[in-house]
Amino acid sequence: MSVTSEFFFPSSDGKTLIHVNQWTPLSRPIRGIVQISHGVAEYGERYAPFARFLCRQGFLVAANDHLGHGLSVAEGQPRIYFGERDGWQHVVDDVAILQQRLAAQYPQLPYFMFGHSMGSFILRTFLIRYPGRVRGAVICGTGHQSPLLVSGGLAIANREIKKLGSAAVSPVADKLAFGAYNKVFAPVRTKFDWISVNTDNVDRYLADPMCGEDITLGLFRDMLTGIRFLTKPSNLAQMDKDTAVFFIAGDQDPVGDMGKGVERAYHSFEKAGIKDVSCKLYHGLRHEILNEKSSRFVYQDVLDWLNAHL
């Protein structure tokens, strides 16, 4: 049994209140903390089933809505938008603010982070910019794009921003960011077949007004800027070598290039000298491995890894 609560804290952007969902174990002592960083065009509360599972095992779980997502949207600001300037920095700093807040409340507890999709890139940036803050990190549904691809995407994003503005939505950006993901699964039933083999999950995603929204050009630019930062070997070298890392993904996830991009990310952490880094790919699963019908196996693997690092 767990107690569910919500609160807000001021974003590092100086104008937005960041919304947080928290699940606290009630029937047993708290053994550790898991902070979740969600993906693009979704929000923290989508992770409630996973959070409640971890709560039953004694973990306090918290998930904030990133800037422009869920309930973390300032009045008059567009959705799926980080801001005019320094958006990626603000999003990562917000994650750090929540981590610092919870760690101060429970200084004796081991602290872990879980990042999915865009949230995995945010988490990877956090590990570089805030080394040593957490005992371990689970990096889910990630990828490892080439510098050439990222530079090309940034050039297009900046060109579109000059024409339309950073808060605008552009079909060009949407196609570049997500357009190719569905192709490998043709013929497709929906625009988001790539996220899950589980059609019920896809339908719930489509029916949710806070999921699947078009990304702004500014967010697309900021995400590519973040990916360029976190893939540089000189930046990876700044991570704490004693922070344990567990990469997980579906081997049919196009974000991770069907597993190949996940393995490239994993090997980049090995080369950076991370002492405890492992990787597991789930056969036949797509992007949202926490929401597939076989998710209980993923849940258990994450739990086993957490328990091993307590």
Side-chain angles (χ1 to χ4, degrees):
M1 187 174 179
S2 63
V3 173
T4 303
S5 57
E6 299 176 68
F7 61 90
F8 290 84
F9 67 86
S11 168
S12 62
D13 75 353
K15 60 184 177 183
T16 307
L17 288 176
I18 298 299
H19 174 255
V20 182
N21 287 100
Q22 181 172 313
W23 298 265
T24 306
L26 185 62
S27 58
R28 59 182 298 171
I30 302 174
R31 302 165 61 222
I33 299 172
V34 178
Q35 181 178 334
I36 295 174
S37 177
H38 69 75
V40 70
E42 59 161 352
Y43 55 102
E45 196 176 8
R46 286 193 79 222
Y47 293 78
F50 180 53
R52 287 193 289 266
F53 167 80
L54 292 177
C55 264
R56 289 194 295 272
Q57 308 302 321
F59 290 91
L60 183 152
V61 183
N64 70 283
D65 298 341
H66 298 309
L67 279 171
H69 292 72
L71 300 181
S72 299
V73 184
E75 186 174 355
Q77 290 296 302
R79 295 185 61 80
I80 319 303
Y81 182 61
F82 293 154
E84 186 66 31
R85 297 186 60 184
D86 301 323
W88 193 257
Q89 177 177 321
H90 289 313
V91 170
V92 176
D93 286 346
D94 290 342
V95 167
I97 290 169
L98 178 58
Q99 185 276 329
Q100 187 176 39
R101 173 179 176 144
L102 291 175
Q105 291 177 12
Y106 302 93
Q108 77 283 9
L109 295 179
Y111 206 110
F112 301 92
M113 284 195 176
F114 180 101
H116 172 69
S117 194
M118 179 186 75
S120 76
F121 298 123
I122 292 170
L123 174 51
R124 287 163 65 181
T125 307
F126 173 90
L127 294 176
I128 294 168
R129 291 190 50 218
Y130 295 96
R133 287 271 202 103
V134 296
R135 181 171 296 189
V138 181
I139 297 174
C140 176
T142 201
H144 201 77
Q145 290 74 12
S146 72
L148 186 63
L149 184 65
V150 172
S151 295
L154 274 170
I156 294 170
N158 288 324
R159 184 190 69 200
E160 290 290 291
I161 287 171
K162 284 184 179 179
K163 291 193 300 182
L164 303 172
S166 64
V169 171
S170 165
V172 174
D174 186 68
K175 184 177 181 181
L176 279 172
F178 307 112
Y181 289 167
N182 245 5
K183 288 182 180 178
V184 69
F185 303 113
V188 294
R189 186 177 63 94
T190 76
K191 180 182 177 181
F192 294 105
D193 281 20
W194 61 273
I195 72 168
S196 185
V197 180
N198 183 0
T199 57
D200 292 338
N201 179 46
V202 174
D203 289 343
R204 285 192 298 269
Y205 184 89
L206 286 166
D208 193 324
M210 290 198 293
C211 286
E213 298 166 278
D214 292 336
I215 67 169
T216 58
L217 284 164
L219 186 143
F220 182 53
R221 172 202 60 199
D222 292 341
M223 188 158 54
L224 288 173
T225 301
I227 291 171
R228 181 174 61 182
F229 172 86
L230 63 87
T231 50
K232 286 184 178 178
S234 58
N235 292 332
L236 286 165
Q238 303 304 311
M239 294 188 295
D240 186 339
K241 309 302 187 289
D242 292 321
T243 299
V245 179
F246 184 25
F247 285 90
I248 57 173
D251 71 358
Q252 296 300 302
D253 181 359
V255 174
D257 192 18
M258 306 308 189
K260 294 190 288 292
V262 183
E263 290 177 334
R264 286 195 295 270
Y266 161 67
H267 290 306
S268 75
F269 274 55
E270 282 188 318
K271 291 177 182 177
I274 302 301
K275 298 174 184 177
D276 182 351
V277 56
S278 53
C279 179
K280 182 166 184 176
L281 298 176
Y282 294 86
H283 179 65
L285 301 192
R286 298 182 187 177
H287 188 52
E288 291 195 345
I289 58 176
L290 292 183
N291 296 324
E292 297 285 23
K293 290 183 178 179
S294 57
S295 63
R296 65 188 182 278
F297 299 109
V298 183
Y299 282 25
Q300 189 62 48
D301 285 343
V302 173
L303 175 63
D304 290 344
W305 184 88
L306 291 170
N307 285 335
H309 291 86
L310 285 174

